[in-house]
Amino acid sequence: MLKPILIHPDPRLKKLADPVADLSDELRTLADDMLATMYDAPGIGLAAPQIGVSKRLIVLDCVKDEGEAPRPLAMFNPEIVASSDETNVYEEGCLSIPDIYAEVTRPAEVEVRWMTLVGKEQQEVFKGLWATCVQHEIDHLDGKLFIDYLKPLKRQMITRKMVKLKRERAREQA
Ligand code: ZN
């Protein structure tokens, strides 16, 4: 089932999300719904707080080449266990901040540990777009958005744009 995605500014996007204790069918359905919502958007990553669920769960699939098989990943309680000193700059966007893109510098490689859909612990090193995406999504679990890396003036300008966008959308629905 597709879920509505929250648009910044929203207090639910600023909250520290709770760790997932035990996997349940409900949580697995939530992960499936998040993947469907992400692909539909379309996007390459989505975090549970973006659909108003304050749980440490993210989904991502950063496969870009058309011939390549998709690689949907759902991560419960993802944690960065190591980051490279080397950094990378990517033009980032966010489904909660539509049509806004800005360059963000982050570690080029990160090692992430998480719990899979079947409750298994997994650890993997991510590079390139995958590294940027997984860091962006984990930030969401800590109430952090990519615009928080920008200068305050730029961030305020973007927030004003989003307030306007939300007002317009509310008017359309009324
Ligand atoms: Zn985002």
Side-chain angles (χ1 to χ4, degrees):
M1 205 170 71
L2 299 182
K3 302 282 186 185
I5 297 171
L6 299 180
I7 305 295
H8 164 75
D10 190 301
R12 289 168 287 180
L13 292 171
K14 305 299 292 176
K15 270 173 67 180
L16 186 71
D18 296 325
V20 173
D22 286 305
L23 282 186
S24 59
D25 285 347
E26 201 187 327
L27 282 169
R28 276 185 277 264
T29 304
L30 175 66
D32 284 345
D33 287 347
M34 281 171 57
L35 277 166
T37 303
M38 176 191 84
Y39 285 125
D40 178 71
I44 58 171
L46 188 69
Q50 291 181 277
I51 56 162
V53 177
S54 194
K55 293 219 162 76
R56 301 190 79 81
L57 164 61
I58 62 171
V59 296
L60 62 161
D61 183 351
C62 303
V63 171
K64 278 195 308 184
D65 297 331
E66 269 187 35
E68 218 177 315
R71 194 194 174 204
L73 277 180
M75 301 180 172
F76 294 93
N77 303 330
E79 211 181 314
I80 293 169
V81 293
S83 314
S84 65
D85 291 331
E86 191 199 331
T87 56
N88 223 339
V89 181
Y90 261 103
E91 187 157 77
E92 296 189 22
C94 180
L95 293 176
S96 293
I97 311 172
D99 301 321
I100 302 284
Y101 301 90
E103 288 190 338
V104 178
T105 305
R106 299 184 188 266
E109 280 186 38
V110 286
E111 188 164 9
V112 181
R113 182 166 56 210
W114 72 94
M115 187 166 65
T116 67
L117 274 171
V118 291
K120 215 182 88 202
E121 191 174 282
Q122 197 160 319
Q123 196 158 320
E124 193 177 320
V125 174
F126 292 95
K127 299 172 187 177
L129 182 60
W130 283 91
T132 288
C133 185
V134 78
Q135 291 175 80
H136 174 123
E137 300 312 329
I138 291 173
D139 272 353
H140 274 298
L141 306 180
D142 297 324
K144 195 164 183 183
L145 302 170
F146 83 93
I147 56 169
D148 293 331
Y149 292 92
L150 309 178
K151 295 207 169 71
L153 265 177
K154 179 113 196 250
R155 187 164 63 235
Q156 285 157 20
M157 197 186 74
I158 293 169
T159 300
R160 274 199 298 272
K161 257 189 202 171
M162 291 300 112
V163 169
K164 203 170 151 230
L165 175 80
K166 285 172 80 168
R167 215 183 289 140
E168 281 165 9
R169 286 191 178 180
R171 209 177 296 143
E172 278 165 24
Q173 278 161 9

